Amino acid sequence: DAKTTQPTSMDCAEGRAANLPCNHSTISGNEYVYWYRQIHSQGPQYIIHGLKNNETNEMASLIITEDRKSSTLILPHATLRDTAVYYCIVRIADNTNAGKSTFGDGTTLTVKP
Amino acid sequence: ETGVTQSPTHLIKTRGQQVTLRCSSQSGHNTVSWYQQALGQGPQFIFQYYREEENGRGNFPPRFSGLQFPNYSSELNVNALELDDSALYLCASGTGGIMNTEAFFGQGTRLTVV
């Protein structure tokens, strides 16, 4: 799996958009970008994933650059409950490899009132 | 919420002992993975089972072993516990369907080795 680089921590004001960057310059053509988050003392929670097109679901949007070397997770209206560690992961999207993820140390997002 | 349940939630063992951690997945989840998460770090992949056979392993010694059962439950066994084995152990399962490529995590078992 390609290596990812994320900022250690970020702050965001409640109600504003939170933009979390991730660099994955060694990504291969068949590797997807996945985002998970982990709220304190809980297991990681899947957020979104994508290959090269921008993706949106009920939780977030994922913007992947054209060269696929970086991406941004966007939480459009951050709430206090979005305070968590956010992990960007790159791996092949294969049904037998769903669990084989290489996690870094992630970005600690703190949403402030 | 994720349909993945781990037991026990907390456990204290003595160095040198053996421990078995358990995970129960939803029906139809053919893959199960185990992760170790030390305090302040991201989860580290231990191994994965797909249809009851190990099909991937991270950089962990053989004293970490596992089993997956036909009823979608699984076990992580750790022999000869060391102090550094103290961590949150996470189980993740997936449906194995070609369009379902995300893993669903349990809440974890907090193991403390003293």
Side-chain angles (χ1 to χ4, degrees), chain B residues 5-95:
Chain B
T5 305
Q6 293 186 241
S7 62
T9 54
H10 295 83
L11 195 57
I12 299 175
K13 302 292 279 186
T14 302
R15 187 174 54 183
Q17 284 187 316
Q18 179 267 345
V19 68
T20 297
L21 309 182
R22 293 179 172 83
C23 174
S24 177
S25 306
Q26 288 186 34
S27 175
H29 281 202
N30 292 314
T31 68
V32 63
S33 305
W34 287 89
Y35 288 80
Q36 180 194 67
Q37 186 173 25
L39 204 59
Q41 298 181 18
Q44 300 299 306
F45 175 71
I46 303 175
F47 47 58
Q48 174 173 286
Y49 280 78
Y50 176 62
R51 293 182 174 175
E52 302 168 45
E53 291 191 8
E54 185 179 302
N55 77 330
R57 189 175 186 92
N59 188 27
F60 281 82
R63 60 188 185 87
F64 286 78
S65 63
L67 287 171
Q68 184 186 23
F69 303 102
N71 66 350
Y72 305 107
S73 66
S74 64
E75 292 179 353
L76 166 66
N77 298 291
V78 187
N79 293 322
L81 283 167
E82 302 175 0
L83 297 180
D84 286 348
D85 295 332
S86 294
L88 180 69
Y89 287 86
L90 295 160
C91 161
S93 69
T95 61

Side-chain angles (χ1 to χ4, degrees), chain A residues 10 87 99 111:
Chain A
M10 294 182 63
Y87 296 101
V111 180

Side-chain angles (χ1 to χ4, degrees), chain A residues 13-28:
Chain A
E14 188 178 20
R16 303 297 294 269
N19 297 283
L20 293 93
C22 179
N23 287 319
H24 32 79
S25 59
T26 61
I27 191 171
S28 300

Side-chain angles (χ1 to χ4, degrees), chain A residues 22-80:
Chain A
C22 179
N23 287 319
H24 32 79
S25 59
T26 61
I27 191 171
S28 300
N30 61 348
E31 288 182 314
Y32 284 63
V33 179
Y34 286 76
W35 283 84
Y36 284 81
R37 72 180 182 184
Q38 187 172 26
I39 297 171
H40 184 60
S41 298
Q42 297 183 19
Q45 175 191 23
Y46 166 81
I47 301 173
I48 198 168
H49 75 284
L51 181 63
K52 55 183 179 180
N53 297 319
N54 299 337
E55 302 287 344
T56 297
N57 63 18
E58 65 278 5
M59 290 183 67
S61 295
L62 174 60
I63 309 297
I64 303 174
T65 58
E66 190 170 346
D67 63 6
R68 304 211 319 122
K69 293 184 177 181
S70 65
S71 60
T72 301
L73 178 74
I74 302 172
L75 308 178
H77 305 286
T79 71
L80 299 179

